[in-house]
Amino acid sequence: MPAPHDEIDSVTEATAVEIDDAAAAAKRAKIEGIVRVVIMFLMPLALVGMMIWGYMGAMHSPTPRDMPLVVSGQDAGAFATALKHADGDAVDITTESDPGSARQQVIDRDAAGAVVIDGKNATLFTAKAAGASQSTVVTTLVTPVAVAQGITLATEDLVPLPSSDSAGLGAMFMTTAIVMAGYLPLSFMLSNSPHLLRLRRFLPLLVGWGVLIAGVIALITCPILHVVPAGDLLPVMGVAMLGVVAIGMVQLFLTRIFGAMATLLAMLLLMVLGMPSSNLSISIYTAPPFYDVFHSFLPLPAIGEALRSVLYFGGDGAGKHLMVLGIGGVAGLVLTLLADWRKRHKSASATVRVSIPSLRGASQPDTPFWRYTALLFFPLAMVTMMVTAMLGAMHSPTPKDMPVAVVAASEQQGQAVADGLSKQMPGMFDISVIGSADDARAQVADRDIVGAFVLPSAENPQGTVLTNQAASNSAAQVVDQIFTQVAQAQDMSVDTDDVAPLPDRDSMGTVTMYIAMGWLMAGFMVIIVGANAAPASRPLPKLLPIVGVYSGFMSAAVLLIAGPITGSIEGGHGWELWATGSIAIFCVAMFATVFERLVGMLAIIPVIGILMFLGVPASSGAMSVYMEAPFFRAIHDVIPMGAAVEAARSILYFAGDTLGSTLLTLAAWGVISLIVVAIIDRIKPVRTTAEMVEVPHPALGSAYVPAEEAGDVETEPVDESPIR
């Protein structure tokens, strides 16, 4: 019989062990909590950092290099030499004896432009359908050289864009939608329904999904928006289906290898590198040289160029791009088969974790109906919003009630000119009459009006077009072009005076939009990532300080990318941009929290829909709101993206003149959202844990063996069928 003190010692030792175990468990839980919060910072940093660096770095100041030009006709060699001397790095000049062959090279897109010389006259041939910005760059390169040579230059567009797609954005936005449809579903399948990624199940689902997306794009772009002619509908649908299937197969392989991290890799390859190298948003000859390589094999350029060939060039040249997609899809299938074969022979007990059992944010895992409905609805809604909102807003930019002014020596003269212009261009401009050029210049500088036309007077016999490029590059171009044409039609000498020209580092005027996109993306990403990676952070008392620190951190990251890394902004605005970005990120995070509380991961749909798909057209960042539907002009001053773009623009180019009002707009969204979140939390309990279930790895299929049984069945034959 043990002594009493021995029993006491045993109890003491057991208690000590329990205390040590509890302390160790508490320490592990604390470390895990810290790691999860760190993930809340790092995942958005990676996603937002890649997107903003990729877009801003490549497209903030497109510079021509090796632009292929052909010169033909009399003294072609001399003109070609003059072009090289003007800017040898910008052009790649060849001469052609046959003017017809030179023109054909432009139509075949082997050359960006062709100059045919005929004595003291010349014609510059371009194809705007090959890239609207590319045609502009070519004209900018050739015109000064022609003037210096005493040559009268005419221009001719060999392949003009259709009136229904006058900006040439149809191919770009359809391509973006197709790419999204290809990779978005897989990340949610892996986290919610990994059994659907078994190859035997995935292949028919992917083909059916491709057909559905092709049908949705066809429905929106043909009978609704009239961007795609009825005769091109089937080829466009074919490109869309092939693009979705090819990207889906490659993404399946990447998911097999990298798991959930495949989404990051997909965004890098498909969007961050794909869009600048696509030859859609900017000419490939104005992007940094290393994008040439990506243009030849990435799916986004292949889809974009194939759609461009179908829409504008009768299908000529589409074959090689379709081949890229076909090879990519087959390669994805073969590599997936090999990866699955290796997984089955390496571990028959491998599992994956269902980390999001309910995409709707329900407390219990979804039933099959809700699970599959949510899986279908999420990517379908994203694709539909991309094509409907973005393409619908910007596919055919035309001035609509754009506020401009006429300045004349007398009010009667000015009103007569204004009435004449309104009659010639009904609905395009809202024309007022201003008494002095100084007043007009002040109103243009204050962005009260977009531009002004100063008529010649006794003091100044030359007309002047006043513009404000920093306020809106697209609006400034329209005002300059139209008023210059009006003056030339009257044999009037005219000059352009830009009251706020854009710097070379932001030659397209899109830096403010990319900065604002960085702020807004950072704001909603922390909530989406945190809700699943760190659910313990969801209660407001914990969430608010985390988001506060995060907002300052991510604002500094965006500032670092825009400044030292890409050189898109100059110094001197750091504190204002950092503080404004911090406020914007925090307020957007609160807005995203409202929807995350209500519908879980599906919050991405309304949040991105409002912030991006409505916000980008309404922001005047990419295109003036006076060139879009009136709806976008109406929401410009109240939507977060509009406020963020105007805040960045005001800081960078207008000494912060409207910063106060934009900050009030952002603050209103943040405060109202915070109040709504507090109300929701009083009604609906806040989930602070994540139920995660281990399920068989989709590569194993019927070959899966539970780990506890693996030792008993190691000698059993494994089904060698390659497709599971």
Side-chain angles (χ1 to χ4, degrees):
M1 180 176 181
H5 63 82
D6 290 336
E7 293 183 357
I8 294 174
D9 290 343
S10 299
V11 172
T12 303
E13 290 176 2
T15 303
V17 170
E18 291 177 0
I19 293 174
D20 290 342
D21 290 344
K27 185 177 181 180
R28 286 194 300 271
K30 183 177 180 180
I31 293 174
E32 181 182 350
I34 294 173
V35 170
R36 288 179 177 274
V37 172
V38 170
I39 292 174
M40 286 180 66
F41 282 61
L42 294 184
M43 281 294 290
L45 176 63
L47 289 166
V48 176
M50 281 196 312
M51 294 292 290
I52 303 307
W53 164 78
Y55 284 19
M56 191 183 295
M59 297 186 283
H60 72 98
S61 182
T63 304
R65 45 96 193 161
D66 301 321
M67 185 80 70
L69 300 178
V70 183
V71 182
S72 183
Q74 302 174 10
D75 298 324
F79 193 80
T81 301
L83 280 172
K84 291 179 181 177
H85 287 167
D87 193 345
D89 294 333
V91 293
D92 180 10
I93 305 292
T94 58
T95 57
E96 173 61 55
S97 59
D98 180 15
S101 177
R103 288 165 47 99
Q104 191 61 42
Q105 289 185 48
V106 175
I107 296 173
D108 293 339
R109 288 166 284 170
D110 295 326
V115 183
V116 177
I117 311 292
D118 184 12
K120 285 298 181 180
N121 297 306
T123 303
L124 171 61
F125 297 99
T126 59
K128 197 173 182 180
S133 64
Q134 179 171 280
S135 296
T136 302
V137 171
V138 170
T139 304
T140 303
L141 291 172
V142 173
T143 301
V145 176
V147 171
Q149 297 288 311
I151 294 175
T152 301
L153 185 69
T155 60
E156 182 178 339
D157 189 352
L158 295 175
V159 190
L161 288 163
S163 59
S164 59
D165 187 16
S166 57
L169 296 176
M172 186 180 78
F173 285 123
M174 282 191 285
T175 297
T176 306
I178 292 166
V179 170
M180 289 170 55
Y183 81 89
L184 273 181
L186 280 88
S187 60
F188 288 95
M189 282 184 177
L190 183 65
S191 302
N192 178 262
S193 302
H195 61 280
L196 297 180
L197 296 179
R198 289 179 59 181
L199 200 52
R200 281 178 175 169
R201 291 175 178 169
F202 182 75
L203 280 175
L205 288 174
L206 180 61
V207 172
W209 173 244
V211 172
L212 176 61
I213 292 301
V216 169
I217 290 176
L219 176 64
I220 297 172
T221 58
C222 184
I224 297 177
L225 298 180
H226 306 290
V227 172
V228 176
D232 295 332
L233 201 56
L234 288 179
V236 166
M237 292 178 66
V239 173
M241 180 179 172
L242 179 59
V244 170
V245 172
I247 292 174
M249 286 310 310
V250 173
Q251 188 64 12
L252 179 65
F253 166 69
L254 295 178
T255 302
R256 290 286 200 264
I257 303 301
F258 300 102
M261 291 297 103
T263 301
L264 281 175
L265 189 57
M267 291 188 65
L268 174 63
L269 294 175
L270 296 173
M271 305 304 296
V272 175
L273 299 177
M275 183 55 73
S277 65
S278 67
N279 201 31
L280 295 173
S281 56
I282 61 173
S283 170
I284 190 64
Y285 299 111
T286 61
F290 75 95
Y291 285 103
D292 290 348
V293 177
F294 300 117
H295 180 74
S296 63
F297 73 88
L298 286 181
L300 193 150
I303 296 170
E305 293 288 15
L307 286 176
R308 173 179 280 159
S309 297
V310 169
L311 291 172
Y312 314 132
F313 293 90
D316 293 341
K320 60 183 178 181
H321 303 295
L322 297 177
M323 187 177 296
V324 169
L325 296 174
I327 293 173
V330 172
L333 175 60
V334 172
L335 291 172
T336 301
L337 289 170
L338 293 175
D340 288 358
W341 177 85
R342 183 175 182 273
K343 176 66 71 174
R344 289 198 299 271
H345 285 74
K346 183 179 179 181
S347 174
S349 303
T351 60
V352 294
R353 180 174 294 177
V354 177
S355 57
I356 310 177
S358 173
L359 292 175
R360 301 180 299 123
S363 57
Q364 299 295 324
D366 283 335
T367 62
F369 171 80
W370 284 112
R371 180 192 305 147
Y372 300 139
T373 299
L375 280 174
L376 175 66
F377 177 69
F378 171 74
L380 185 61
M382 296 289 283
V383 169
T384 303
M385 288 191 299
M386 165 61 73
V387 180
T388 303
M390 299 287 278
L391 181 56
M394 296 188 278
H395 71 94
S396 185
T398 304
K400 300 175 182 69
D401 297 321
M402 185 177 284
V404 297
V406 171
V407 179
S410 67
E411 184 176 352
Q412 292 78 7
Q413 180 191 14
Q415 192 61 54
V417 172
D419 292 342
L421 292 174
S422 297
K423 187 176 181 179
Q424 294 176 19
M425 299 174 287
M428 293 178 63
F429 295 101
D430 180 8
I431 306 175
S432 59
V433 178
I434 298 179
S436 73
D438 290 340
D439 289 345
R441 184 181 178 86
Q443 290 192 37
V444 173
D446 292 340
R447 287 106 77 206
D448 296 326
I449 57 177
V450 171
F453 184 23
V454 182
L455 298 174
S457 62
E459 296 80 11
N460 187 1
Q462 180 172 269
T464 303
V465 178
L466 298 174
T467 61
N468 189 331
Q469 196 180 41
S472 173
N473 190 30
S474 59
Q477 290 177 352
V478 167
V479 169
D480 184 28
Q481 179 182 6
I482 290 180
F483 282 156
T484 298
Q485 290 174 352
V486 169
Q488 291 174 344
Q490 302 296 322
D491 293 325
M492 183 189 303
S493 177
V494 67
D495 191 18
T496 300
D497 181 8
D498 197 325
V499 302
L502 287 166
D504 291 340
R505 62 182 175 275
D506 184 20
S507 58
M508 295 182 68
T510 54
V511 166
T512 54
M513 182 183 69
Y514 292 135
I515 290 174
M517 287 176 63
W519 292 341
L520 270 59
M521 288 175 63
F524 73 76
M525 282 300 303
V526 67
I527 300 303
I528 299 301
V529 172
N532 296 281
S537 68
R538 295 180 77 238
L540 273 181
K542 293 183 178 180
L543 184 65
L544 290 177
I546 291 174
V547 173
V549 174
Y550 167 87
S551 299
F553 167 75
M554 283 302 298
S555 183
V558 173
L559 182 61
L560 185 66
I561 293 170
I565 294 178
T566 65
S568 303
I569 61 174
E570 65 177 356
H573 306 290
W575 284 110
E576 296 97 324
L577 286 172
W578 176 81
T580 302
S582 299
I583 294 171
I585 293 169
F586 185 89
C587 293
V588 168
M590 293 300 101
F591 171 67
T593 304
V594 173
F595 288 97
E596 192 281 323
R597 290 288 204 263
L598 295 174
V599 292
M601 286 293 290
L602 294 183
I604 296 174
I605 296 171
V607 171
I608 291 185
I610 294 171
L611 297 180
M612 296 296 171
F613 294 145
L614 293 180
V616 170
S619 69
S620 253
M623 183 180 293
S624 170
V625 289
Y626 293 108
M627 299 168 67
E628 301 167 352
F631 166 76
F632 293 100
R633 189 189 321 156
I635 64 174
H636 170 73
D637 292 330
V638 299
I639 204 163
M641 178 62 85
V645 168
E646 292 297 347
R649 180 179 285 149
S650 177
I651 292 170
L652 289 175
Y653 302 130
F654 297 101
D657 58 350
T658 61
L659 183 59
S661 61
T662 57
L663 289 179
L664 285 175
T665 299
L666 292 169
W669 280 84
V671 171
I672 293 173
S673 297
L674 181 58
I675 293 172
V676 173
V677 172
I679 294 172
I680 293 172
D681 287 355
R682 293 291 298 271
I683 300 172
K684 180 181 177 182
V686 180
R687 175 179 56 85
T688 58
T689 59
E691 294 185 15
M692 298 188 183
V693 180
E694 299 287 341
V695 298
H697 195 285
L700 299 178
S702 60
Y704 172 74
V705 178
E708 59 272 15
E709 302 176 12
D712 299 329
V713 296
E714 288 181 347
T715 59
E716 292 185 7
V718 177
D719 183 1
E720 297 293 339
S721 175
I723 300 181
R724 298 191 162 276

